[in-house]
Amino acid sequence: MTREPRGRAGRSMRPGRAGHDLPPADDTPIIHGAIPPRDVLLRFIADHPEQASKREIAKAFGLKGEARVELKALLKSFEEDGFLEKRRKSLVRPGALPPVTVLDITTRDVDGELIGRPAEWLDDAGVAPAVLIRQSGGARKDKAPVAGLGDRVLAKIFPAKERGGPAYTARIIKVLDKKKNSGMGVFRSMAGGGGRIMPIDRRGEEMEVDADFTAGAKDGDLVEIDVVRMGRYGLPRAQIKGVVGSVASEKAISMIAIHAHGIPYIFPDAVIREAEAAGPATMAHREDWRSLPLITIDPADAKDHDDAVFAEPDPSPDNPGGVIVTVAIADVSYYVRPKSALDREALKRGNSVYFPDRVVPMLPERISNDLCSLKEGVDRPALAVRMVFSHEGRKAGHTFHRIMMKSAAKLSYQQAQAAIDGAPDDKTGPILETILKPLWEAYRITTVGRNRRQPLELDMPERKILLKEDGTVDRVVVPPRLDAHKLIEEMMIQANVAAAETLEKKKQVLIYRVHDAPSLAKQEVLREFLQTLDISLVKGGNMRSNHFNGILAKAKDKPFEQMVSEMVLRSQSQAIYSPENIGHFGLNLMKYAHFTSPIRRYADLIVHRALVGSLGLGEGGITPDEEAVLDDIAAEISTFERRAMAAERDTVDRLIAHHLAGRIGEEFDGRVSGVTKAGLFVTLPAYGADGFVPISMLGRDYFIYDEAHQALSGEKTGLGYRLGDEVRVKLAEAVPLAGSLRFDMISEGRKMPTAVRSFHKSGRRKGSAPRHQPGTRPPRGRR
């Protein structure tokens, strides 16, 4: 969604390092204390990312007074023209790699040096940049880990100082995975025995399998392989070590994503032994809270329960109408100690990954589903926070406690909601007045505070794939959003805030959950789009979440409501983990840290250790060694979170593509969910699946892309398609392994608004989509 850089009239452009053009070189000499030439300034930012804030740039060139004002204006113009984008306090070239990146080492250069590429890279961002891996050698005391071909590494990224080679160099921080001598593929049998292994990802290559090493695999089976020989000539050779099953089975599809994204899914023997040897927690350093009727409220199919809640009126006369909310969280830090086998494996995974047919947990079941799960009627160790709120929803104070608890009831969201709505069952009936109603009263009070805070209120439906017993897709549903869901969500948010506040007060370093404000470039794209709907967006860098809520309110119940919601969502930054606190824009909170899910998120485990250590709550606290590397840990787990999201998304895409593969030629109702120069992305609401309509399938007209209006419209007819339009499409192609769908457009375009038609008459914008000639192969799109 970032705007393309625009060239200056009458001046030639020269290629830049990060995929965008640099402005032309000036002949002006560099004078200390004066604004440097434009190309010198941009080159300095590219080569010195650690000095790319406005203050550091001014310091580097000795700029003061009016020169600093001029520098600020020049840098702003670079942002507006797309040469730079702002990330937190620094300026970077668009498409530049972050300072710490996960790389897959894919090849060697002519000098034998290792070359890597980013493990995660957007399809529409072009070719992933190459990175030269600098391996330390000799007698250096700080020698970095040694990696080889096929390894996945976490690396510190630097702009290359030498021209003519990769744009970046890297120093290895950690080798994450040495798995590339094994993998997965689809077996294709050949006459006479043996066969070929077809890759399951774009960067894979075909391999040969001799007849003696097929392990009984049949044509079309998804198989696990070991690479036995990679020569300089011919195809690599592999042997099959296991058959997962027919690739036509949905049960095999999540395994493709697991392997394609390098997600560890088998616990080493040492980790299993350590988990099995763990025993029940003792009462040492714990308060006995087993008489407090804490309850768990989770999805009906949940296997682990890491949070429990309780609420009661505050008896203090100083807080009339106030409530006390208690949130208890499984004490994972008691079992998973720093530098243990369990800890190393948990950090390697970063988080649990959830697929429709399976879960890849961060911790073994002995820990996650047994010892740390807050089971009903069973003693369990927990870390609890007791929060006091006034009747206006303002928090008056909070305290943390290390406790032993016993859950009074295990409820599902639907079960708890039904009881409140007047339909209690045998389990909820006895606790309706004493436990559930006080919880709902506490939720009502905290909602008053939430409404005053005005977090970003984007209500995007979440679809869930339901499978049959045989693993095939049954249907796709949108579960209702209940008050029970919102109650637990708000209580977890308040507990997370309390954790961050306590640790800051103790001056204890921690990992925050941070969410930056939308970049100025994304704000401008959204502003241009909203102007086409006569909706204004305030200018300036001091955006607040309530500004976006105002936009959503103006679009409420309008035909373009969904379209505006999607554009607001696209304008947002991605939340990450960081030891540096910049606040959470979406929640409109200045102090926020994940504390409530240590069973499935490593970030929460770090926060638990920090609380245990800083509050003197016993064993399992954070160590000085951990504190020293929180930057690296935060970078790793942020990357692993994105990895999990990509794997989950790819699996859903493949499941739906497989489910619809037998329905080629059928027509479906859809909605335009993306507009590009090459065509339209269309979502099928009934399935939550995205497919692509190439521009060549829209009609015989010349279609022009208008970014501001998010539209493709015909030059002659004035008919076109906009983001959010409801359309009828025909399924033309489904590729389950790639998770892609291609549609033909059935609906005729609608008459474009006057503003779009006048745009055509004023001349085509640079980058207008070319018409695809009949008979040419249409482009295939993917999210």
Side-chain angles (χ1 to χ4, degrees):
M1 294 297 295
T2 55
R3 298 193 305 173
E4 294 183 354
R6 299 186 292 271
R8 303 294 181 189
R11 304 176 74 181
S12 62
M13 305 292 284
R14 62 190 182 88
R17 178 181 290 166
H20 286 253
D21 292 333
L22 290 174
D26 294 324
D27 296 327
T28 310
I30 302 174
I31 302 174
H32 191 73
I35 297 292
R38 295 165 58 85
D39 63 322
V40 172
L41 184 55
L42 281 172
R43 183 62 61 197
F44 175 87
I45 292 171
D47 291 345
H48 302 84
E50 73 283 355
Q51 294 178 269
S53 67
K54 293 174 185 176
R55 177 179 294 180
E56 290 295 331
I57 294 170
K59 182 178 178 181
F61 290 98
L63 305 181
K64 299 180 180 179
E66 289 296 320
R68 284 195 173 219
V69 177
E70 186 179 351
L71 172 69
K72 184 177 180 180
L74 180 59
L75 293 175
K76 185 174 180 61
S77 73
F78 283 171
E79 288 185 66
E80 293 175 344
D81 286 350
F83 295 124
L84 296 175
E85 63 184 32
K86 193 170 185 179
R87 293 183 190 166
R88 297 169 65 177
K89 296 182 180 179
S90 296
L91 296 162
V92 299
R93 297 293 311 284
L97 292 180
V100 178
T101 302
V102 174
L103 303 175
D104 284 335
I105 301 177
T106 56
T107 187
R108 293 183 184 272
D109 65 10
V110 292
D111 298 320
E113 298 284 351
L114 295 173
I115 301 294
R117 294 186 185 276
E120 300 290 346
W121 191 254
L122 296 176
D123 293 342
D124 59 0
V127 179
V131 182
L132 179 65
I133 309 293
R134 296 292 189 187
Q135 300 261 41
S136 62
R140 285 182 53 184
K141 294 182 180 180
D142 60 341
K143 185 167 64 175
V146 176
L149 275 177
D151 289 353
R152 174 166 287 186
V153 300
L154 185 73
K156 182 75 173 176
I157 303 296
F158 306 93
K161 295 182 179 179
E162 301 173 2
R163 306 296 169 84
Y168 302 93
T169 62
R171 173 178 58 81
I172 296 173
I173 298 173
K174 182 179 182 181
V175 178
L176 300 176
D177 204 347
K178 287 181 172 291
K179 67 174 183 56
K180 290 299 182 179
N181 62 339
S182 63
M184 297 190 78
V186 178
F187 177 68
R188 296 299 182 192
S189 60
M190 299 177 64
R196 297 282 176 88
I197 302 296
M198 310 307 293
I200 59 173
D201 60 72
R202 294 185 184 89
R203 288 183 290 182
E205 56 183 325
E206 196 173 327
M207 299 184 184
E208 287 188 14
V209 179
D210 292 334
D212 294 337
F213 300 106
T214 61
K218 299 181 178 63
D219 188 73
D221 277 349
L222 182 68
V223 296
E224 295 180 296
I225 60 169
D226 280 332
V227 180
V228 294
R229 183 169 63 82
M230 296 186 71
R232 298 185 65 179
Y233 305 102
L235 293 176
R237 291 190 174 273
Q239 66 181 36
I240 297 173
K241 64 178 183 179
V243 178
V244 177
S246 171
V247 77
S249 165
E250 273 89 345
K251 290 184 177 180
I253 289 178
S254 57
M255 286 301 297
I256 295 177
I258 288 169
H259 278 263
H261 291 275
I263 296 172
Y265 69 103
I266 299 175
F267 286 107
D269 291 341
V271 175
I272 296 297
R273 287 196 300 269
E274 195 170 282
E276 293 298 328
T282 67
M283 287 297 299
H285 302 284
R286 297 188 187 280
E287 301 173 43
D288 190 347
W289 285 23
R290 285 174 289 187
S291 62
L292 188 71
L294 290 150
I295 65 170
T296 62
I297 305 177
D298 291 295
D301 57 354
K303 294 182 179 179
D304 57 63
H305 309 277
D306 52 10
D307 59 81
V309 293
F310 177 71
E312 59 188 330
D314 186 358
S316 172
D318 297 330
N319 188 25
V323 293
I324 301 173
V325 175
T326 300
V327 174
I329 306 298
D331 189 0
V332 178
S333 63
Y334 177 81
Y335 292 101
V336 184
R337 302 295 178 89
K339 295 186 178 180
S340 66
L342 279 166
D343 181 52
R344 290 193 298 269
E345 185 67 17
L347 178 55
K348 183 179 177 182
R349 296 173 180 234
N351 47 253
S352 298
V353 188
Y354 295 85
F355 300 105
D357 66 325
R358 74 180 75 209
V359 176
V360 179
M362 185 179 79
L363 297 168
E365 286 191 9
R366 168 67 173 162
I367 302 296
S368 61
N369 293 2
D370 186 6
L371 293 175
C372 286
S373 185
L374 306 181
K375 295 182 176 182
E376 180 179 287
V378 180
D379 290 359
R380 284 291 180 259
L383 205 59
V385 57
R386 185 175 180 270
M387 301 172 286
V388 180
F389 293 92
S390 72
H391 72 279
E392 296 176 331
R394 300 182 188 277
K395 190 173 68 176
H398 67 265
T399 54
F400 279 89
H401 310 261
R402 206 172 197 183
I403 68 169
M404 186 69 74
M405 60 161 284
K406 182 184 292 185
S407 172
K410 181 187 79 169
L411 305 181
S412 68
Y413 288 114
Q414 294 78 10
Q415 197 176 11
Q417 188 68 54
I420 290 295
D421 292 342
D425 58 21
D426 292 342
K427 178 174 282 190
T428 56
I431 62 173
L432 178 59
E433 296 295 332
T434 56
I435 298 178
L436 292 179
K437 285 188 177 180
L439 276 171
W440 254 258
E441 173 61 13
Y443 166 59
R444 184 192 65 78
I445 286 174
T446 55
T447 299
V448 174
R450 177 185 175 90
N451 293 339
R452 184 170 52 249
R453 192 175 80 241
Q454 293 192 55
L456 181 60
E457 299 287 1
L458 264 174
D459 188 15
M460 305 297 289
E462 293 188 10
R463 289 174 173 81
K464 183 176 182 179
I465 295 180
L466 302 180
L467 303 179
K468 301 176 185 176
E469 289 186 4
D470 63 357
T472 59
V473 174
D474 182 15
R475 63 190 187 279
V476 180
V477 299
V478 179
R481 178 89 165 136
L482 306 174
D483 281 345
H485 292 105
K486 299 175 185 177
L487 179 152
I488 295 299
E489 178 184 273
E490 186 60 27
M491 290 184 177
M492 297 306 111
I493 288 173
Q494 294 298 334
N496 289 337
V497 171
E501 289 176 345
T502 292
L503 293 174
E504 276 203 4
K505 187 175 181 180
K506 289 290 183 179
K507 295 183 171 49
Q508 169 66 53
V509 293
L510 70 147
I511 292 179
Y512 295 91
R513 180 65 167 179
V514 299
H515 181 220
D516 208 350
S519 67
L520 292 177
K522 287 185 176 181
Q523 288 182 38
E524 187 59 32
V525 170
L526 178 62
R527 184 175 293 108
E528 289 183 3
F529 167 74
L530 292 173
Q531 285 174 352
T532 70
L533 302 174
D534 294 324
I535 299 176
S536 61
L537 176 66
V538 297
K539 285 194 174 184
N542 191 26
M543 291 290 294
R544 301 290 294 272
S545 54
N546 64 319
H547 291 137
F548 291 99
N549 289 338
I551 293 168
L552 297 171
K554 291 177 181 178
K556 186 73 173 174
D557 299 326
K558 301 288 197 308
F560 47 76
E561 178 180 2
Q562 188 67 28
M563 176 170 46
V564 170
S565 295
E566 290 187 359
M567 287 298 290
V568 169
L569 178 62
R570 294 180 190 186
S571 72
Q572 302 304 304
S573 303
Q574 183 170 2
I576 61 171
Y577 295 106
S578 172
E580 179 186 349
N581 185 26
I582 61 170
H584 197 292
F585 177 84
L587 293 175
N588 198 15
L589 292 167
M590 285 308 300
K591 300 174 183 179
Y592 191 67
H594 274 168
F595 159 74
T596 54
S597 295
I599 287 177
R600 62 183 180 90
R601 292 189 305 225
Y602 195 83
D604 304 57
L605 177 57
I606 289 290
V607 170
H608 274 237
R609 289 173 177 167
L611 287 166
V612 169
S614 63
L615 297 176
L617 298 179
E619 299 178 339
I622 195 168
T623 66
D625 288 346
E626 282 184 296
E627 293 177 342
V629 294
L630 283 188
D631 276 305
D632 290 344
I633 292 175
E636 286 187 54
I637 59 180
S638 295
T639 300
F640 296 156
E641 179 185 45
R642 292 192 295 272
R643 175 181 71 182
M645 292 169 60
E648 291 165 1
R649 182 187 65 237
D650 288 355
T651 298
V652 170
D653 288 346
R654 289 186 175 108
L655 279 170
I656 297 300
H658 184 274
H659 182 57
L660 297 178
R663 303 176 65 178
I664 303 298
E666 289 190 29
E667 295 183 10
F668 299 88
D669 291 322
R671 180 173 46 80
V672 176
S673 57
V675 182
T676 73
K677 298 174 186 177
L680 304 172
F681 286 97
V682 174
T683 296
L684 305 184
Y687 300 96
D690 284 341
F692 191 67
V693 181
I695 201 169
S696 59
M697 297 299 161
L698 295 181
R700 304 286 298 179
D701 206 344
Y702 188 102
F703 284 87
I704 299 176
Y705 172 58
D706 181 3
E707 182 182 22
H709 293 80
Q710 285 294 294
L712 283 176
S713 51
E715 183 179 47
K716 295 179 180 178
T717 63
L719 300 178
Y721 306 88
R722 289 190 73 179
L723 185 72
D725 282 354
E726 294 183 356
V727 294
R728 187 77 174 169
V729 294
K730 181 171 68 175
L731 182 59
E733 183 181 18
V735 185
L737 277 182
S740 63
L741 302 172
R742 184 171 64 80
F743 299 125
D744 293 338
M745 182 63 71
I746 302 298
S747 299
E748 188 177 69
R750 64 186 177 93
K751 203 71 174 177
M752 287 290 101
T754 304
V756 180
R757 296 200 299 273
S758 63
F759 163 82
H760 291 173
K761 294 177 182 178
S762 65
R764 295 173 189 156
R765 177 180 296 182
K766 179 183 177 183
S768 296
R771 177 178 58 190
H772 289 268
Q773 298 298 324
T776 61
R777 184 174 181 175
R780 295 180 182 178
R782 230 178 102 66
R783 283 194 295 179

